[in-house]
Amino acid sequence: MDLNNFTNDPEAIVEADRAHVWHHLSQHKPYDMGVDPRIIVEGKGMRLWDIKGKEHIDSVSGGVWTVNIGYGRERMGKAIADAVTKMCFFGGSLGTIPGARFSEMLTEKMPGLDRVYYANSGSEANEKAFKMVRQISHKHYGGKKNKILYRERDYHGSTIATMSAGGQDERNAQFGPFTPGFVRVPHCLEYRAQDEYAGDSYGVKAAEAIEEVILREGPDTVGALCLEPITAGGGVIVPPKGYWEKVQEICKKYNILLHIDEVVCGLGRTGTWFGYQHFGIQPDIVTMAKGVASGYAAISCCVTTNEVFDKFKDDTDKLGFFRDISTFGGCTGGPAAAIENMKIIEEEDLLGNSVTVGAHLKAQLEALSEKHAVIGQVRGKGLFAGAELVADRGTKEPVDEKKVMAVVADCMQQGVIIGATNRSLPGYNNTLLFAPPLIATTDDIDAVVDAVDQALTRVLG
């Protein structure tokens, strides 16, 4: 690889980064002690190259499960360039051609949902949904139906309000106090269920635990229930049979809006356009980001039914419309990239690839668990999987997170990037995470799993 394509002085880039860049989710002290920050300079397909020329297989789609269509797509760059050259931006009170076109394409994939509100990050999309719920409460319920329920282990963003709906206590630590009116409901991970809930009816019981919270708080005070279709960073938790049907029933029973956070699962990650579509439910609000444009441009969407949208149609009330704006929701580059991204997913049948190669990923991880007793459970759907590591399968005692991160580091040393629950759940940062680009082949998966096999052997025996 020719580094001169990027810089004639790579050390200068490393030193500029060391001196001035504040990296996300990173402890910088090692950089003061001579460790170099890692600089990524090129990506192609599933491969990345750092500034020292080392090649990596990326099995986490950009670290945070975003680059669904893979790296190096020239047509994505051209689509963005064409859009921003013609008309780069106008605040979202006016429309643009890419915005109108993508909203139509998107809602065609989401029967029953009709309106697209543009923003630029998943956190922001969820903030918009929360604000919609609160404004509906004031306008239609005298301000009373304002509480928003969220689930233990789920994650909805990094702003103070979205962290108020954050089910990962370690991630939230030291950022409080939080916004009032957010109420936690129990997780639905049967592997970590209390004995009295375990069994064939666990899914229904886990949903009924939500109803218990609603009754405790008062149904007339609860405006929305916000859930990931499959819990992502909290351990890749696929809700058990019966769960979603019961959740839908409960929301209808108590007139509670069902808000599905598809920031991770959306745009093909699990083998359908959206994760909720596996479960036969009809949400009122769906939020998304990450895979919407696969990281080629910043974009997020808060999509609602017309029933929700129409609650803001009242020209007799000067405060009746949704009084919100996202500055960069007015960019044309995001929806232009999203249009091309969706076309690529369709043309290359990446939903189908997510199903078939995802099944291979899960099967390979399960085969690995026969060799390594440290793997307590393999979970996932499509090209989205987790392997929970335990010190003892009988007691399910979690492996110490330092050893989990040592496995991740060993894979990185081999040139394979995997993930893990990280500073999220006190005592339970013990799940390896996999979310490769939807272009992954079975050979790619075999290379990733082989690296994990070697890492587990070296780190845990």
mmCIF file of all heavy atoms in Angstrom, residues 397-429:
data_model
loop_
_atom_site.group_PDB
_atom_site.id
_atom_site.type_symbol
_atom_site.label_atom_id
_atom_site.label_comp_id
_atom_site.label_asym_id
_atom_site.label_seq_id
_atom_site.Cartn_x
_atom_site.Cartn_y
_atom_site.Cartn_z
ATOM 1 N N GLU A 397 -20.982 -17.314 35.718
ATOM 2 C CA GLU A 397 -20.167 -16.201 36.202
ATOM 3 C C GLU A 397 -19.446 -15.549 35.020
ATOM 4 O O GLU A 397 -18.756 -16.221 34.254
ATOM 5 C CB GLU A 397 -19.126 -16.696 37.204
ATOM 6 C CG GLU A 397 -18.186 -15.613 37.702
ATOM 7 C CD GLU A 397 -17.012 -16.170 38.499
ATOM 8 O OE1 GLU A 397 -17.028 -17.377 38.822
ATOM 9 O OE2 GLU A 397 -16.070 -15.398 38.769
ATOM 10 N N PRO A 398 -19.586 -14.243 34.835
ATOM 11 C CA PRO A 398 -18.956 -13.590 33.687
ATOM 12 C C PRO A 398 -17.430 -13.639 33.758
ATOM 13 O O PRO A 398 -16.841 -13.572 34.836
ATOM 14 C CB PRO A 398 -19.442 -12.138 33.792
ATOM 15 C CG PRO A 398 -20.649 -12.193 34.664
ATOM 16 C CD PRO A 398 -20.400 -13.311 35.634
ATOM 17 N N VAL A 399 -16.804 -13.749 32.609
ATOM 18 C CA VAL A 399 -15.354 -13.606 32.519
ATOM 19 C C VAL A 399 -14.993 -12.165 32.864
ATOM 20 O O VAL A 399 -15.707 -11.221 32.502
ATOM 21 C CB VAL A 399 -14.871 -13.978 31.103
ATOM 22 C CG1 VAL A 399 -13.459 -13.458 30.839
ATOM 23 C CG2 VAL A 399 -14.909 -15.484 30.914
ATOM 24 N N ASP A 400 -13.901 -11.982 33.553
ATOM 25 C CA ASP A 400 -13.438 -10.631 33.889
ATOM 26 C C ASP A 400 -13.262 -9.813 32.624
ATOM 27 O O ASP A 400 -12.693 -10.276 31.637
ATOM 28 C CB ASP A 400 -12.108 -10.710 34.635
ATOM 29 C CG ASP A 400 -11.631 -9.339 35.091
ATOM 30 O OD1 ASP A 400 -10.932 -8.669 34.285
ATOM 31 O OD2 ASP A 400 -11.961 -8.937 36.212
ATOM 32 N N GLU A 401 -13.758 -8.567 32.648
ATOM 33 C CA GLU A 401 -13.755 -7.756 31.429
ATOM 34 C C GLU A 401 -12.339 -7.465 30.924
ATOM 35 O O GLU A 401 -12.149 -7.248 29.718
ATOM 36 C CB GLU A 401 -14.524 -6.464 31.626
ATOM 37 C CG GLU A 401 -13.923 -5.475 32.589
ATOM 38 C CD GLU A 401 -14.773 -4.204 32.656
ATOM 39 O OE1 GLU A 401 -15.775 -4.187 33.394
ATOM 40 O OE2 GLU A 401 -14.416 -3.235 31.964
ATOM 41 N N LYS A 402 -11.337 -7.482 31.799
ATOM 42 C CA LYS A 402 -9.967 -7.268 31.324
ATOM 43 C C LYS A 402 -9.550 -8.398 30.389
ATOM 44 O O LYS A 402 -8.841 -8.168 29.397
ATOM 45 C CB LYS A 402 -9.003 -7.175 32.510
ATOM 46 C CG LYS A 402 -9.179 -5.910 33.336
ATOM 47 C CD LYS A 402 -8.176 -5.867 34.473
ATOM 48 C CE LYS A 402 -8.347 -4.600 35.314
ATOM 49 N NZ LYS A 402 -7.395 -4.573 36.457
ATOM 50 N N LYS A 403 -9.990 -9.606 30.672
ATOM 51 C CA LYS A 403 -9.665 -10.734 29.792
ATOM 52 C C LYS A 403 -10.460 -10.657 28.493
ATOM 53 O O LYS A 403 -9.963 -11.026 27.428
ATOM 54 C CB LYS A 403 -9.937 -12.053 30.525
ATOM 55 C CG LYS A 403 -8.990 -12.307 31.689
ATOM 56 C CD LYS A 403 -9.234 -13.660 32.331
ATOM 57 C CE LYS A 403 -8.238 -13.922 33.459
ATOM 58 N NZ LYS A 403 -8.472 -15.236 34.112
ATOM 59 N N VAL A 404 -11.695 -10.184 28.602
ATOM 60 C CA VAL A 404 -12.496 -9.998 27.386
ATOM 61 C C VAL A 404 -11.812 -9.004 26.455
ATOM 62 O O VAL A 404 -11.676 -9.249 25.248
ATOM 63 C CB VAL A 404 -13.923 -9.518 27.736
ATOM 64 C CG1 VAL A 404 -14.731 -9.271 26.464
ATOM 65 C CG2 VAL A 404 -14.632 -10.539 28.623
ATOM 66 N N MET A 405 -11.353 -7.892 27.019
ATOM 67 C CA MET A 405 -10.683 -6.881 26.201
ATOM 68 C C MET A 405 -9.329 -7.390 25.699
ATOM 69 O O MET A 405 -8.852 -6.975 24.636
ATOM 70 C CB MET A 405 -10.518 -5.582 26.975
ATOM 71 C CG MET A 405 -11.855 -4.941 27.374
ATOM 72 S SD MET A 405 -13.108 -4.915 26.064
ATOM 73 C CE MET A 405 -12.307 -3.842 24.858
ATOM 74 N N ALA A 406 -8.713 -8.305 26.439
ATOM 75 C CA ALA A 406 -7.468 -8.919 25.967
ATOM 76 C C ALA A 406 -7.728 -9.781 24.740
ATOM 77 O O ALA A 406 -6.888 -9.857 23.827
ATOM 78 C CB ALA A 406 -6.829 -9.744 27.073
ATOM 79 N N VAL A 407 -8.887 -10.431 24.692
ATOM 80 C CA VAL A 407 -9.271 -11.197 23.497
ATOM 81 C C VAL A 407 -9.443 -10.252 22.306
ATOM 82 O O VAL A 407 -8.967 -10.529 21.198
ATOM 83 C CB VAL A 407 -10.568 -11.996 23.754
ATOM 84 C CG1 VAL A 407 -11.083 -12.625 22.460
ATOM 85 C CG2 VAL A 407 -10.335 -13.067 24.817
ATOM 86 N N VAL A 408 -10.115 -9.132 22.538
ATOM 87 C CA VAL A 408 -10.297 -8.135 21.473
ATOM 88 C C VAL A 408 -8.944 -7.620 20.993
ATOM 89 O O VAL A 408 -8.696 -7.499 19.782
ATOM 90 C CB VAL A 408 -11.168 -6.962 21.970
ATOM 91 C CG1 VAL A 408 -11.250 -5.859 20.919
ATOM 92 C CG2 VAL A 408 -12.564 -7.456 22.338
ATOM 93 N N ALA A 409 -8.043 -7.331 21.921
ATOM 94 C CA ALA A 409 -6.718 -6.827 21.572
ATOM 95 C C ALA A 409 -5.903 -7.867 20.801
ATOM 96 O O ALA A 409 -5.169 -7.529 19.863
ATOM 97 C CB ALA A 409 -5.973 -6.394 22.832
ATOM 98 N N ASP A 410 -6.012 -9.126 21.195
ATOM 99 C CA ASP A 410 -5.302 -10.194 20.496
ATOM 100 C C ASP A 410 -5.783 -10.284 19.046
ATOM 101 O O ASP A 410 -4.981 -10.425 18.113
ATOM 102 C CB ASP A 410 -5.516 -11.521 21.217
ATOM 103 C CG ASP A 410 -4.660 -12.648 20.661
ATOM 104 O OD1 ASP A 410 -4.932 -13.100 19.530
ATOM 105 O OD2 ASP A 410 -3.710 -13.083 21.340
ATOM 106 N N CYS A 411 -7.094 -10.202 18.845
ATOM 107 C CA CYS A 411 -7.630 -10.220 17.478
ATOM 108 C C CYS A 411 -7.115 -9.025 16.674
ATOM 109 O O CYS A 411 -6.733 -9.173 15.500
ATOM 110 C CB CYS A 411 -9.151 -10.218 17.516
ATOM 111 S SG CYS A 411 -9.890 -11.768 18.056
ATOM 112 N N MET A 412 -7.071 -7.862 17.297
ATOM 113 C CA MET A 412 -6.550 -6.675 16.606
ATOM 114 C C MET A 412 -5.107 -6.890 16.190
ATOM 115 O O MET A 412 -4.700 -6.520 15.078
ATOM 116 C CB MET A 412 -6.674 -5.451 17.525
ATOM 117 C CG MET A 412 -6.080 -4.174 16.936
ATOM 118 S SD MET A 412 -7.015 -3.501 15.554
ATOM 119 C CE MET A 412 -8.265 -2.556 16.444
ATOM 120 N N GLN A 413 -4.328 -7.504 17.054
ATOM 121 C CA GLN A 413 -2.936 -7.794 16.732
ATOM 122 C C GLN A 413 -2.842 -8.733 15.526
ATOM 123 O O GLN A 413 -1.915 -8.642 14.718
ATOM 124 C CB GLN A 413 -2.245 -8.434 17.942
ATOM 125 C CG GLN A 413 -0.739 -8.571 17.813
ATOM 126 C CD GLN A 413 -0.021 -7.223 17.741
ATOM 127 O OE1 GLN A 413 -0.489 -6.238 18.325
ATOM 128 N NE2 GLN A 413 1.085 -7.168 17.020
ATOM 129 N N GLN A 414 -3.822 -9.610 15.395
ATOM 130 C CA GLN A 414 -3.865 -10.520 14.241
ATOM 131 C C GLN A 414 -4.390 -9.841 12.980
ATOM 132 O O GLN A 414 -4.398 -10.444 11.899
ATOM 133 C CB GLN A 414 -4.779 -11.715 14.550
ATOM 134 C CG GLN A 414 -4.313 -12.617 15.676
ATOM 135 C CD GLN A 414 -5.325 -13.726 15.901
ATOM 136 O OE1 GLN A 414 -5.554 -14.565 15.027
ATOM 137 N NE2 GLN A 414 -5.941 -13.748 17.081
ATOM 138 N N GLY A 415 -4.872 -8.613 13.114
ATOM 139 C CA GLY A 415 -5.423 -7.908 11.962
ATOM 140 C C GLY A 415 -6.904 -8.145 11.771
ATOM 141 O O GLY A 415 -7.426 -7.994 10.663
ATOM 142 N N VAL A 416 -7.612 -8.479 12.854
ATOM 143 C CA VAL A 416 -9.061 -8.677 12.809
ATOM 144 C C VAL A 416 -9.697 -7.813 13.894
ATOM 145 O O VAL A 416 -9.347 -7.933 15.077
ATOM 146 C CB VAL A 416 -9.439 -10.155 13.013
ATOM 147 C CG1 VAL A 416 -10.948 -10.308 13.131
ATOM 148 C CG2 VAL A 416 -8.906 -11.005 11.865
ATOM 149 N N ILE A 417 -10.618 -6.951 13.513
ATOM 150 C CA ILE A 417 -11.257 -6.035 14.456
ATOM 151 C C ILE A 417 -12.604 -6.614 14.874
ATOM 152 O O ILE A 417 -13.497 -6.803 14.043
ATOM 153 C CB ILE A 417 -11.457 -4.642 13.834
ATOM 154 C CG1 ILE A 417 -10.136 -4.097 13.277
ATOM 155 C CG2 ILE A 417 -12.038 -3.678 14.861
ATOM 156 C CD1 ILE A 417 -10.287 -2.794 12.502
ATOM 157 N N ILE A 418 -12.732 -6.933 16.169
ATOM 158 C CA ILE A 418 -14.007 -7.363 16.734
ATOM 159 C C ILE A 418 -14.386 -6.386 17.834
ATOM 160 O O ILE A 418 -13.604 -5.513 18.211
ATOM 161 C CB ILE A 418 -13.950 -8.809 17.268
ATOM 162 C CG1 ILE A 418 -13.057 -8.895 18.519
ATOM 163 C CG2 ILE A 418 -13.469 -9.775 16.191
ATOM 164 C CD1 ILE A 418 -13.164 -10.227 19.254
ATOM 165 N N GLY A 419 -15.599 -6.541 18.376
ATOM 166 C CA GLY A 419 -16.045 -5.662 19.444
ATOM 167 C C GLY A 419 -16.354 -6.428 20.716
ATOM 168 O O GLY A 419 -16.270 -7.655 20.766
ATOM 169 N N ALA A 420 -16.737 -5.686 21.748
ATOM 170 C CA ALA A 420 -17.164 -6.274 23.016
ATOM 171 C C ALA A 420 -17.972 -5.246 23.783
ATOM 172 O O ALA A 420 -17.791 -4.036 23.591
ATOM 173 C CB ALA A 420 -15.965 -6.711 23.855
ATOM 174 N N THR A 421 -18.891 -5.732 24.637
ATOM 175 C CA THR A 421 -19.567 -4.807 25.542
ATOM 176 C C THR A 421 -18.481 -4.109 26.361
ATOM 177 O O THR A 421 -17.634 -4.763 26.958
ATOM 178 C CB THR A 421 -20.532 -5.576 26.468
ATOM 179 O OG1 THR A 421 -19.878 -6.758 26.953
ATOM 180 C CG2 THR A 421 -21.788 -5.979 25.745
ATOM 181 N N ASN A 422 -18.500 -2.792 26.364
ATOM 182 C CA ASN A 422 -17.363 -2.032 26.860
ATOM 183 C C ASN A 422 -17.826 -0.895 27.751
ATOM 184 O O ASN A 422 -18.532 0.004 27.295
ATOM 185 C CB ASN A 422 -16.572 -1.487 25.668
ATOM 186 C CG ASN A 422 -15.378 -0.666 26.079
ATOM 187 O OD1 ASN A 422 -14.815 -0.857 27.144
ATOM 188 N ND2 ASN A 422 -14.994 0.264 25.238
ATOM 189 N N ARG A 423 -17.447 -0.948 29.043
ATOM 190 C CA ARG A 423 -17.814 0.096 30.002
ATOM 191 C C ARG A 423 -19.316 0.399 29.916
ATOM 192 O O ARG A 423 -19.732 1.553 29.886
ATOM 193 C CB ARG A 423 -17.008 1.381 29.735
ATOM 194 C CG ARG A 423 -15.514 1.211 29.884
ATOM 195 C CD ARG A 423 -15.118 0.922 31.344
ATOM 196 N NE ARG A 423 -13.689 0.937 31.526
ATOM 197 C CZ ARG A 423 -12.890 -0.111 31.343
ATOM 198 N NH1 ARG A 423 -13.414 -1.271 30.971
ATOM 199 N NH2 ARG A 423 -11.592 -0.024 31.535
ATOM 200 N N SER A 424 -20.111 -0.648 29.886
ATOM 201 C CA SER A 424 -21.541 -0.492 29.704
ATOM 202 C C SER A 424 -22.347 -1.005 30.882
ATOM 203 O O SER A 424 -23.154 -0.296 31.467
ATOM 204 C CB SER A 424 -21.997 -1.229 28.427
ATOM 205 O OG SER A 424 -21.320 -0.727 27.289
ATOM 206 N N LEU A 425 -22.115 -2.294 31.226
ATOM 207 C CA LEU A 425 -22.929 -2.968 32.231
ATOM 208 C C LEU A 425 -22.040 -3.417 33.379
ATOM 209 O O LEU A 425 -21.210 -4.305 33.191
ATOM 210 C CB LEU A 425 -23.623 -4.185 31.611
ATOM 211 C CG LEU A 425 -24.455 -3.891 30.350
ATOM 212 C CD1 LEU A 425 -24.722 -5.180 29.599
ATOM 213 C CD2 LEU A 425 -25.752 -3.202 30.728
ATOM 214 N N PRO A 426 -22.161 -2.831 34.550
ATOM 215 C CA PRO A 426 -21.286 -3.217 35.660
ATOM 216 C C PRO A 426 -21.302 -4.725 35.899
ATOM 217 O O PRO A 426 -22.349 -5.314 36.149
ATOM 218 C CB PRO A 426 -21.885 -2.455 36.850
ATOM 219 C CG PRO A 426 -22.588 -1.288 36.238
ATOM 220 C CD PRO A 426 -23.124 -1.784 34.932
ATOM 221 N N GLY A 427 -20.127 -5.345 35.786
ATOM 222 C CA GLY A 427 -20.006 -6.769 36.013
ATOM 223 C C GLY A 427 -20.358 -7.656 34.840
ATOM 224 O O GLY A 427 -20.144 -8.867 34.878
ATOM 225 N N TYR A 428 -20.903 -7.050 33.779
ATOM 226 C CA TYR A 428 -21.358 -7.851 32.643
ATOM 227 C C TYR A 428 -20.822 -7.342 31.306
ATOM 228 O O TYR A 428 -21.482 -7.456 30.279
ATOM 229 C CB TYR A 428 -22.891 -7.907 32.610
ATOM 230 C CG TYR A 428 -23.459 -8.714 33.743
ATOM 231 C CD1 TYR A 428 -23.906 -8.077 34.904
ATOM 232 C CD2 TYR A 428 -23.526 -10.106 33.689
ATOM 233 C CE1 TYR A 428 -24.408 -8.817 35.968
ATOM 234 C CE2 TYR A 428 -24.026 -10.844 34.747
ATOM 235 C CZ TYR A 428 -24.461 -10.200 35.885
ATOM 236 O OH TYR A 428 -24.952 -10.927 36.939
ATOM 237 N N ASN A 429 -19.615 -6.793 31.313
ATOM 238 C CA ASN A 429 -18.952 -6.414 30.062
ATOM 239 C C ASN A 429 -18.194 -7.637 29.535
ATOM 240 O O ASN A 429 -16.966 -7.647 29.476
ATOM 241 C CB ASN A 429 -18.011 -5.229 30.297
ATOM 242 C CG ASN A 429 -18.767 -3.963 30.652
ATOM 243 O OD1 ASN A 429 -19.700 -3.582 29.956
ATOM 244 N ND2 ASN A 429 -18.386 -3.327 31.745
#
